[in-house]
Amino acid sequence: MESTVKIDHVRKTFKSDNESIKVLEDFNLAVKYGEFLTIIGPSGCGKSTLLKLIAGLDLDFEGEIMIADKSVNGPSKDRGFIFQEHRLFPWLNVEKNIAGNQSLKDPDIRSKVDHLISLVKLKGFEKAYPRQLSGGMSQRVAIARALLRNPKVLLLDEPFGALDAFTRNHLQEALLEIWEENRTTMILVTHDIDEAIFLSSKVVVMDAKPGRIKGIVPIDLPYPRTRISKAFQEYRTVILKYLDHQDNEIEDWII
Amino acid sequence: MSTQTIAQNNAISIKKKKSQVTKSYSIWRGLSLPVFVLILWQLLSSLDILSAQLFSSPLLIITRFIELVQSGEMAKHLQISLIRAFLGFAIGGFLGLLIGVIVGMNKRAEEYLNPSIQMLRTVPLLVITPLFIMWLGFGELSKVLLIALGAFFPLYLQTFLGIRNVDKKLYDVAQILEYSRMDQITKLMIPASLPNILLGIRLALSAAWMCLVVAELLGADRGVGFMIQDARSFMQTDTVFVGIIIFALAGKISDSFVRFLENRLLKWQDSFKA
């Protein structure tokens, strides 16, 4: 099994009353097992739409999306989804939110939930309700909830966008730790270049209207990465060039 | 132990004391109006300004109440009334909840059922009562069904409303986590619409008490409503008042019970509390 996610000639159009807008135009991408892939692009480039298609939340598209060689035909546990907002169930406390429809009385689930709570560093908050948690804590609960289902791939739709800079940095480090421990395939959508370089093994830069791949930048830096290093700065320049310039101007920058 | 923690502890204990004080104040504030009315009433009765025939006096009513309890009369009436109210509420409430969930979850069911239910809902229950009596007689069945009908609509309406207000974003989450249809109902739809459902239960309870009175006033040989009706024909004003007080208490107790449930079940809510 080479790739966890395979996106094959995917087209997506939004149809309103008398016009149709091409959101994704012939999109092809293969995500390797255990890879941390980030999709970056201007707003409206269809990156969040693409994530929804992979999740199976929107089935109205052309082409094919395969998860571990099986075609997507609806949402499923093998694709965890972290939204921009935490989307926890407000009537359940932390541990019950993570367990969801699985029973904490089952010793197997219990131990897995306990392990995840310590993995996302929320020990002592098991019984807290979402309204008592900060944004960063809530998002960590959401990540634990997704991980309990052992997803083949974790889809993250600007998960740290609504958080302050300090919490964001902290959560990025936490996510890397989780990735290093679990080796879950990650697909992250963001518009934060630093976040993309700090986290991912590969950055996909997208162009808007219609959404398509402009370039793929593998990040060959050892973890943990420092945002102030020279190499980091160089990657930042490369991605910025991709985002800012027309196709013909950036050819020199492709590495 | 730093001064800071001591200061904090002090602050907490002050806060606690304050909230206890406000709580007992609020009870007294609630009681002040009824107590004032009672004293005035007793005073006016004792001074013979109010007609004893029409208004009794608080003391006479209390005496009568004790008599009725001691003779076992009260227990007899109260028992049958409570059974009727409970059965009617249970049947109507359960059906309201069930059909509310079905119609809330299913667009097709909504199209088939909702217009008819909404139409029936606007018909005053008192208008339907004669039909019930004609079809089913004065027996228990017609009474229980009338109460059930009264309890059905508020719970149906609120459940339906609650389910339609469930956040689509949480529904997406439930789909991604592969909740079965049953899990979607019991672990998403019902908890999320619990604020509405509990409001529905409160409204359904008061509707059930109302229908109980209607049913018992129209024709019964036992029950608190009958006791009132019977006392009226003998001009026993005190007994009528006792009956009214019983209904007021029953209403208040059932309402407090639902409030208690609300406090327990909705403690996750982060809403404004003045």
Side-chain angles (χ1 to χ4, degrees):
Chain A
M1 191 173 64
E2 248 300 274
S3 49
T4 338
V5 181
K6 199 160 177 292
I7 302 165
D8 205 12
H9 297 289
V10 165
R11 277 166 218 272
K12 166 82 186 165
T13 10
F14 278 130
K15 291 175 195 82
S16 61
D17 295 336
N18 43 20
E19 55 174 345
S20 59
I21 304 153
K22 277 185 194 162
V23 190
L24 291 170
E25 175 72 11
D26 197 26
F27 198 98
N28 296 288
L29 187 68
V31 186
K32 285 202 206 82
Y33 177 77
E35 196 167 33
F36 198 133
L37 183 110
T38 298
I39 302 173
I40 196 166
S43 57
C45 71
K47 52 192 194 296
S48 290
T49 308
L50 181 70
L51 220 52
K52 285 213 172 71
L53 298 186
I54 301 172
L57 286 171
D58 186 348
L59 296 171
D60 180 26
F61 64 94
E62 288 168 55
E64 196 169 37
I65 297 174
M66 311 271 278
I67 308 293
D69 300 324
K70 272 205 286 193
S71 191
V72 166
N73 53 10
S76 133
K77 283 189 283 198
D78 65 14
R79 278 153 285 144
F81 203 114
I82 309 296
F83 299 90
Q84 185 163 6
E85 332 84 59
H86 55 74
R87 298 204 186 178
L88 300 177
F89 298 122
W91 54 88
L92 296 180
N93 62 25
V94 167
E95 56 181 24
K96 286 183 179 160
N97 252 299
I98 296 173
N101 58 347
Q102 303 179 19
S103 171
L104 281 167
K105 291 192 186 98
D106 179 339
D108 185 41
I109 302 291
R110 178 80 250 178
S111 71
K112 277 184 187 160
V113 168
D114 287 341
H115 170 72
L116 284 167
I117 285 174
S118 60
L119 184 70
V120 297
K121 301 197 171 60
L122 280 170
K123 270 222 149 16
F125 290 95
E126 290 89 345
K127 309 281 181 204
Y129 283 90
R131 68 178 163 89
Q132 297 164 314
L133 301 177
S134 69
M137 290 160 95
S138 305
Q139 207 55 298
R140 279 183 278 162
V141 179
I143 292 171
R145 174 171 70 180
L147 290 177
L148 179 69
R149 275 86 191 165
N150 283 323
K152 292 198 174 71
V153 55
L154 196 58
L155 308 166
L156 303 113
D157 187 5
E158 299 184 29
F160 312 133
L163 305 173
D164 64 89
F166 295 107
T167 317
R168 194 184 307 147
N169 285 354
H170 173 72
L171 275 189
Q172 286 165 358
E173 279 158 26
L175 188 65
L176 272 185
E177 268 176 45
I178 291 165
W179 179 59
E180 273 156 16
E181 195 177 316
N182 286 22
R183 285 289 152 183
T184 312
T185 310
M186 305 265 186
I187 303 181
L188 170 82
V189 158
T190 185
H191 49 229
D192 180 339
I193 297 174
D194 279 15
E195 182 169 281
I197 304 169
F198 185 75
L199 292 174
S200 35
S201 40
K202 196 188 268 177
V203 177
V204 173
V205 186
M206 276 183 78
D207 196 8
K209 285 167 197 151
R212 57 201 159 86
I213 296 177
K214 217 172 177 187
I216 296 176
V217 185
I219 311 285
D220 283 322
L221 291 176
Y223 294 96
R225 295 165 176 171
T226 41
R227 290 179 181 79
I228 46 167
S229 73
K230 193 160 174 288
F232 201 100
Q233 186 60 43
E234 277 164 11
Y235 277 114
R236 195 182 284 146
T237 320
V238 171
I239 292 170
L240 269 174
K241 290 281 176 187
Y242 268 115
L243 286 169
D244 288 349
H245 291 268
Q246 295 299 316
D247 294 272
N248 51 3
E249 285 178 51
I250 51 162
E251 261 159 36
D252 306 339
W253 289 94
I254 294 173
I255 43 171
Chain B
M1 193 64 153
S2 65
T3 41
Q4 199 194 348
T5 34
I6 295 169
Q8 271 175 349
N9 285 342
N10 276 343
I12 290 164
S13 67
I14 289 168
K15 223 177 177 180
K16 251 191 189 154
K17 237 178 234 165
K18 207 176 167 190
S19 76
Q20 275 166 0
V21 169
T22 4
K23 205 172 177 186
S24 62
Y25 267 141
S26 86
I27 290 171
W28 288 115
R29 283 185 189 131
L31 277 175
S32 60
L33 185 65
V35 167
F36 173 74
V37 171
L38 278 178
I39 291 172
L40 190 72
W41 183 0
Q42 182 62 44
L43 216 65
L44 293 176
S45 303
S46 308
L47 296 171
D48 274 335
I49 300 173
L50 280 177
S51 136
Q53 184 95 81
L54 289 178
F55 284 94
S56 279
S57 79
L59 282 178
L60 272 174
I61 294 167
I62 290 168
T63 326
R64 182 73 195 133
F65 183 84
I66 293 164
E67 274 172 33
L68 281 168
V69 171
Q70 278 172 345
S71 67
E73 189 109 337
M74 179 63 83
K76 182 184 84 178
H77 292 306
L78 197 57
Q79 191 191 13
I80 188 75
S81 287
L82 285 178
I83 290 173
R84 283 169 188 152
F86 177 77
L87 274 180
F89 173 76
I91 295 169
F94 174 74
L95 285 176
L97 192 66
L98 185 74
I99 298 177
V101 169
I102 292 170
V103 172
M105 293 284 288
N106 189 324
K107 194 79 191 158
R108 181 83 40 94
E110 183 195 354
E111 286 165 358
Y112 274 114
L113 294 174
N114 196 42
S116 311
I117 296 177
Q118 294 296 347
M119 194 173 70
L120 282 177
R121 187 175 69 88
T122 57
V123 178
L125 283 173
L126 279 175
V127 180
I128 305 177
T129 318
L131 270 183
F132 270 50
I133 292 172
M134 273 155 55
W135 292 338
L136 306 163
F138 284 104
E140 293 306 315
L141 190 61
S142 67
K143 292 183 185 62
V144 170
L145 280 184
L146 186 71
I147 296 163
L149 201 63
F152 171 82
F153 291 112
L155 208 46
Y156 163 80
L157 217 65
Q158 291 296 328
T159 307
F160 174 59
L161 207 69
I163 285 179
R164 283 303 159 88
N165 280 335
V166 171
D167 195 342
K168 168 78 167 64
K169 292 173 171 178
L170 292 183
Y171 181 73
D172 282 350
V173 171
Q175 279 201 303
I176 288 171
L177 301 183
E178 284 186 51
Y179 275 33
S180 65
R181 200 72 177 155
M182 202 58 206
D183 280 349
Q184 284 178 14
I185 293 172
T186 56
K187 298 200 164 80
L188 173 67
M189 295 302 176
I190 291 190
S193 40
L194 211 54
N196 280 97
I197 292 175
L198 286 168
L199 174 63
I201 289 178
R202 265 169 96 176
L203 296 172
L205 273 172
S206 63
W209 289 123
M210 193 118 84
C211 293
L212 174 73
V213 180
V214 171
E216 290 187 343
L217 286 180
L218 281 177
D221 51 8
R222 269 188 305 163
V224 179
F226 163 77
M227 187 183 86
I228 295 176
Q229 184 76 341
D230 195 42
R232 184 196 59 88
S233 46
F234 293 104
M235 281 298 266
Q236 292 168 335
T237 323
D238 44 3
T239 310
V240 174
F241 271 113
V242 170
I244 292 170
I245 290 165
I246 292 293
F247 276 120
L249 282 179
K252 176 68 192 149
I253 289 168
S254 55
D255 199 62
S256 299
F257 176 67
V258 182
R259 268 172 184 274
F260 166 76
L261 281 184
E262 277 180 356
N263 285 336
R264 284 292 300 274
L265 298 174
L266 300 182
K267 61 170 186 274
W268 50 270
Q269 265 190 332
D270 195 10
S271 52
F272 172 70
K273 292 173 186 77

